Amino acid sequence: MTSLAGKTLFVTGASRGIGLAIALRAARDGANVVIAAKSSVANPKLPGTIHTAAAQIEEAGGRALPLKVDIRDEAQVRMAAATAAEHFGGIDIVVNNASAIWLAGVEKTPMKRFDLMQQVNARGTFVTTQACLPFLKQAPNPHVLMLSPPPSLDPRWYAPHVAYTIAKMGMSLCVLGMAPEFAPLGIAVNALWPKTVIATAAIAMLGDSVNADHCRTPDIVADAAHAVLTKPARSFTGRFLIDEDVLREEGIVDFDRYAVAPGNPLLPDLFL
């Protein structure tokens, strides 16, 4: 399978950034995309809403279902999964993309930020996957994809921002457990992480610490996700993948097209 035509993707946090890029790549195949995100009203600091994303997806050739969902709310997630399955006739793919970030040490991390990251990243991933599971069981080539790093116990990734690292590793540990649990059902569970920092609105909010001219665009993650989600689910599961490595295996050797400013040195992403 090389196309996602006719497939239904349930993508969390798809109103902007990497989630939207993955949605648009699928839309170009003619996929159905459920945009499960909180942003229903425009925010000058974070451009993009579920409605602007839906318009872009349909313009790209897909079918869109924008759903206002706070993935911290179990009832909202379950309702969204049921609505999506009824609207499109099932769910083939879940992309757990939604994530909260706060890059600070213990002393400078308010508990509300700690709680937000655990609720969105690890718990949100768990409840979204759980809610979609009955529909994935019925799909012919079902995939679950987490946007999370290879699991690590290296202290250098915990010391600068332990709360965020715990939250992201929580998503990765879901892969570690769900992949073998779902294998008998034929459901693939994998993780994908960028080799370099990706220029998104979330990164822009970090201020001057990251210069976008040393980043890649979300398109590289989207193309890598497409490659993963078109693989046979029964034989391709339980992997922690890096976007550039995935695309190299697909025969891509020119990565300049993904650079915000081709020729500039690139910033390596966290956890690698």
Side-chain angles (χ1 to χ4, degrees):
M1 185 176 69
T2 58
S3 172
L4 295 175
K7 298 291 184 180
T8 296
L9 289 76
F10 190 101
V11 187
T12 65
S15 57
R16 62 179 67 92
I18 290 172
L20 177 58
I22 291 172
L24 289 173
R25 179 63 186 87
R28 291 201 294 273
D29 281 359
N32 310 314
V33 183
V34 183
I35 308 151
K38 284 197 308 178
S39 301
S40 60
V41 179
N43 180 338
K45 292 184 179 179
L46 284 172
T49 70
I50 57 174
H51 306 296
T52 59
Q56 289 179 260
I57 286 164
E58 293 184 350
E59 186 179 349
R63 297 169 64 204
L65 178 63
L67 296 176
K68 180 175 168 46
V69 182
D70 183 342
I71 63 170
R72 295 174 294 177
D73 187 319
E74 179 185 354
Q76 286 188 31
V77 175
R78 295 196 184 283
M79 178 63 73
T83 300
E86 181 178 3
H87 186 82
F88 288 126
I91 297 173
D92 298 281
I93 292 165
V94 173
V95 180
N96 286 298
N97 163 74
S99 187
I101 184 170
W102 183 260
L103 298 179
V106 172
E107 194 170 22
K108 294 184 179 179
T109 300
M111 284 313 299
K112 69 176 183 178
R113 291 288 181 176
F114 181 97
D115 292 342
L116 175 66
M117 288 188 287
Q118 310 312 315
Q119 291 162 0
V120 171
N121 301 8
R123 186 180 186 276
T125 290
F126 188 94
V127 71
T128 300
T129 306
Q130 187 184 69
C132 294
L133 188 56
F135 311 109
L136 292 170
K137 288 179 180 180
Q138 306 303 316
N141 193 53
H143 279 263
V144 178
L145 183 65
M146 318 315 190
L147 272 296
S148 65
S152 172
L153 292 178
D154 189 334
R156 68 181 170 138
W157 299 126
Y158 289 81
H161 34 69
V162 64
Y164 175 65
T165 302
I166 289 171
K168 291 306 291 187
M169 292 300 167
M171 295 175 70
S172 301
L173 294 180
C174 283
V175 176
L176 210 57
M178 291 177 181
E181 180 183 352
F182 298 169
L185 303 172
I187 301 171
V189 185
N190 294 293
L192 179 64
W193 194 244
K195 183 172 183 177
T196 71
V197 178
I198 303 298
T200 65
I203 290 297
M205 289 185 70
L206 296 177
D208 297 333
S209 58
V210 176
N211 184 336
D213 286 344
H214 298 282
C215 301
R216 284 176 171 159
T217 69
D219 291 340
I220 187 170
V221 186
D223 286 349
H226 183 275
V228 173
L229 298 173
T230 53
K231 293 188 182 298
R234 287 191 175 275
S235 60
F236 195 87
T237 188
R239 306 193 188 197
F240 294 93
L241 305 158
I242 305 302
D243 58 357
E244 185 176 310
D245 296 342
V246 170
L247 294 177
R248 286 189 186 281
E249 289 184 9
E250 296 295 310
I252 294 174
V253 294
D254 177 14
F255 293 93
D256 283 348
R257 58 177 162 162
Y258 297 117
V260 172
N264 280 358
L266 296 166
L267 292 169
D269 209 307
L270 294 171
F271 310 120
L272 297 179

